[in-house]
Amino acid sequence: MTKLIMRCLLVAAVGIISACSSDNNNNQNTGTGGVVTPPPIQTKLFNVEFTNLTNAQPLSPVALVLHTEGQLWQLNQASSDALELLAEAGDNSAILAEDFVQDSVSGEGVVMPGVTRALAIEAPTSGDAYLSLATMLVNTNDAFTGFTRMDVSNMATNESVTLSIAAYDSGTEANSEAAGSIPGPADGGEGYNSVRDDVDFVARHPGVVTADDGLTTSVLNESHRFDNPVIRVTVLRIR
Amino acid sequence: MKIPKIILAASLAVAPVLTNAQQLDITITNLTQGIYFTPFIVAGHDANTRIFQVGQAASTELQALAEGGDISGVSAMLTGAGAVVSENPAGGLLAPAGSTSLTIDTGTQEYLSLSSMLLPTNDAFAGIDSWKIPSTPGVYWINVNAYDAGTEANDEIVNGGGMPGVPGIPAAPGMDAGTNATGVTTTETNQTVHIHRGNLGDDDLTGGKSDVDNRVHRWLNPVIRVRVEVLDQTL
């Protein structure tokens, strides 16, 4: 229960209106004589705050995961199917369910341009601990941003790290910007498609062209363009 | 952190009188090929004072800086908050590839910020928001991004409009912009301070949507590089 209460307090403290999650109920071990033993040693607790720095690229619900091995992507390597789903459709469910993920949190809803949100996630008190975060720029074919395999095992309480992060391209869908190919509000088109008709490796995103800049078949306009960085993230260990 | 220094100074027969001084030698370099920067404002300030914050609406003082290059309001705000301020080190515009230097004694102030408008743009500015001044002497490099103040639609019409709330771009100092543009947009989607998406521009210098030249007035971040040398105050 301690964990749950702490998460609720944290969520309140950072101004997020949400119900407290109940996905981490501690088992209350029953000791000898029916006496309830105290909860186990507290975990480390991290607050991850992120701001959408773009002009007109809403961000899909953020995936924030804790893991002790693996990573969500590698530059110049083919995207995982889970990352493809996030980068093409804004669907974080497969990333949250990755085999190597120990704990996961999903942001509540889309993060609009200029908006700051925060999520809390726990880690064991010892041993390896990596954080990864991913979210789609939804007015694109397959642009995403975030970080993966941030080592937080040696962060001290009250220590924080702030990152300004670029946009990446999952390389799984051609950047056609064509009608019907972009899931965000600029188009309302298709999200995920298992066909990989692009370079099939993860790289920095080259940016969108848009119809205003000469790609006549693009459903995007000049407002959707972006330069890096596209998000700012601060990871703070609060316990 | 200051107490040990003072004790150390007192123990040295020829030690200079130590005040709460922190001298920074700063060089600002324009990394772009076609963008001019209006007079910079550089300040040492406390944790409660900000020229800008991403994701927050610009102050009216920042709006005047970002739309017209007027640093007087930001300067007054900073001075009122007890900041140490240095204005206009370049003595005017900082041209492409240009550099300018200044020395500032930030005293006991813990943070460094600076800002300047990009021309020709509607309301783009480059800025550092609250860089923690290191206590360790040495040379530090900061890459600075271009932000959109979010206060004016990026219509890209060069019409002299530099007052807050007045549409248009005040000037293209390179005298290489077009005329008679109809305007790129009348709306500003993100009205908080955010990373600037860049000029759109076009290649029609006597009409088109934009007076900005899409072959010249472009940039990618970072747009400024700042060298900060934190001097050793014990020498």
Side-chain angles (χ1 to χ4, degrees):
Chain A
M1 280 308 292
T2 306
K3 286 163 67 178
L4 183 56
I5 291 167
M6 283 303 296
R7 177 173 288 193
C8 294
L9 288 174
L10 176 72
V11 166
V14 296
I16 304 301
I17 300 165
S18 72
C20 298
S21 67
S22 58
D23 59 352
N24 60 345
N25 293 322
N26 287 343
N27 293 321
Q28 293 290 316
N29 297 324
T30 302
T32 54
V35 177
V36 175
T37 56
I41 299 168
Q42 281 195 331
T43 55
K44 295 176 181 177
L45 185 60
F46 295 90
N47 184 59
V48 180
E49 183 182 273
F50 41 91
T51 302
N52 182 342
L53 301 180
T54 71
N55 182 58
Q57 289 287 347
L59 298 172
S60 66
V62 168
L64 175 64
V65 299
L66 176 91
H67 48 112
T68 57
E69 57 184 34
Q71 54 201 80
L72 297 185
W73 67 85
Q74 270 186 282
L75 281 176
N76 305 334
Q77 301 292 313
S79 168
S80 67
D81 290 342
L83 181 69
E84 180 180 7
L85 181 63
L86 179 134
E88 293 185 9
D91 180 348
N92 65 20
S93 60
I95 282 183
L96 300 177
E98 286 271 36
D99 289 343
F100 58 82
V101 165
Q102 320 283 299
D103 192 11
S104 63
V105 188
S106 174
E108 301 219 351
V110 166
V111 183
M112 296 301 287
V115 168
T116 299
R117 295 274 182 84
L119 293 170
I121 195 164
E122 292 165 309
T125 52
S126 63
D128 291 341
Y130 301 111
L131 288 180
S132 294
L133 179 148
T135 178
M136 179 191 185
L137 282 67
V138 300
N139 287 325
T140 68
N141 289 97
D142 61 343
F144 71 98
T145 186
F147 59 85
T148 191
R149 205 177 166 92
M150 176 194 284
D151 187 348
V152 294
S153 61
N154 292 319
M155 279 181 75
T157 304
N158 294 325
E159 185 179 345
S160 69
V161 176
T162 297
L163 305 169
S164 292
I165 307 177
Y168 294 89
D169 189 313
S170 71
T172 56
E173 178 180 330
N175 295 337
S176 68
E177 304 177 18
S181 73
I182 289 175
D187 183 22
E190 180 183 68
Y192 176 70
N193 185 317
S194 63
V195 173
R196 296 195 176 194
D197 60 352
D198 199 3
V199 295
D200 204 16
F201 57 83
V202 176
R204 288 275 283 252
H205 199 283
V208 292
V209 182
T210 82
D212 284 325
D213 215 1
L215 181 60
T216 54
T217 54
S218 174
V219 294
L220 304 178
N221 63 44
E222 63 86 23
S223 75
H224 301 115
R225 293 173 304 135
F226 56 86
D227 189 6
N228 293 317
V230 293
I231 55 166
R232 176 173 297 183
V233 180
T234 298
V235 177
L236 168 66
R237 181 180 165 194
I238 58 177
R239 183 181 76 211
Chain B
M1 287 305 292
K2 296 297 180 191
I3 292 169
K5 280 187 185 175
I6 291 167
I7 292 169
L8 175 66
S11 69
L12 296 173
V14 293
V17 177
L18 272 191
T19 58
N20 288 322
Q22 182 55 69
Q23 186 178 329
L24 307 181
D25 286 350
I26 296 175
T27 299
I28 299 168
T29 300
N30 181 346
L31 298 179
T32 75
Q33 291 185 311
I35 300 295
Y36 287 73
F37 288 86
T38 62
F40 279 82
I41 186 159
V42 181
H45 57 83
D46 63 22
N48 299 319
T49 306
R50 313 284 281 266
I51 297 178
F52 70 96
Q53 279 182 270
V54 292
Q56 302 289 321
S59 65
T60 55
E61 293 87 354
L62 177 65
Q63 181 181 7
L65 186 158
E67 294 187 17
D70 177 4
I71 57 177
S72 62
V74 170
S75 182
M77 179 275 291
L78 289 166
T79 304
V84 180
V85 176
S86 175
E87 296 181 16
N88 194 14
L93 297 172
L94 186 65
S99 288
T100 184
S101 296
L102 66 132
T103 296
I104 186 171
D105 183 347
T106 52
T108 58
Q109 303 289 0
E110 291 187 281
Y111 296 91
L112 180 76
S113 290
L114 63 78
S115 191
S116 164
M117 180 193 185
L118 283 73
L119 286 174
T121 70
N122 288 92
D123 61 339
F125 69 97
I128 295 173
D129 170 27
S130 301
W131 181 73
K132 186 80 190 292
I133 299 170
S135 55
T136 306
V139 173
Y140 299 84
W141 296 89
I142 309 169
N143 284 334
V144 182
N145 294 324
Y147 296 89
D148 190 314
T151 55
E152 181 178 320
N154 297 342
D155 65 9
E156 302 184 10
I157 298 173
V158 180
N159 62 355
M163 295 296 286
V166 176
I169 293 174
M175 306 309 289
D176 47 8
T179 55
N180 298 319
T182 57
V184 168
T185 182
T186 57
T187 59
E188 182 75 1
T189 306
N190 185 347
Q191 298 185 3
T192 70
V193 174
H194 57 278
I195 292 292
H196 201 287
R197 61 189 181 274
N199 281 333
L200 178 70
D202 63 29
D203 58 1
D204 182 350
L205 291 182
T206 57
K209 283 180 292 196
S210 173
D211 286 334
V212 167
D213 190 324
N214 63 7
R215 299 154 296 188
V216 177
H217 303 122
R218 300 175 74 89
W219 71 84
L220 291 173
N221 288 324
V223 292
I224 292 281
R225 182 163 292 160
V226 176
R227 178 189 189 273
V228 180
E229 183 166 5
V230 178
L231 298 189
D232 188 342
Q233 300 302 315
T234 64
L235 295 178

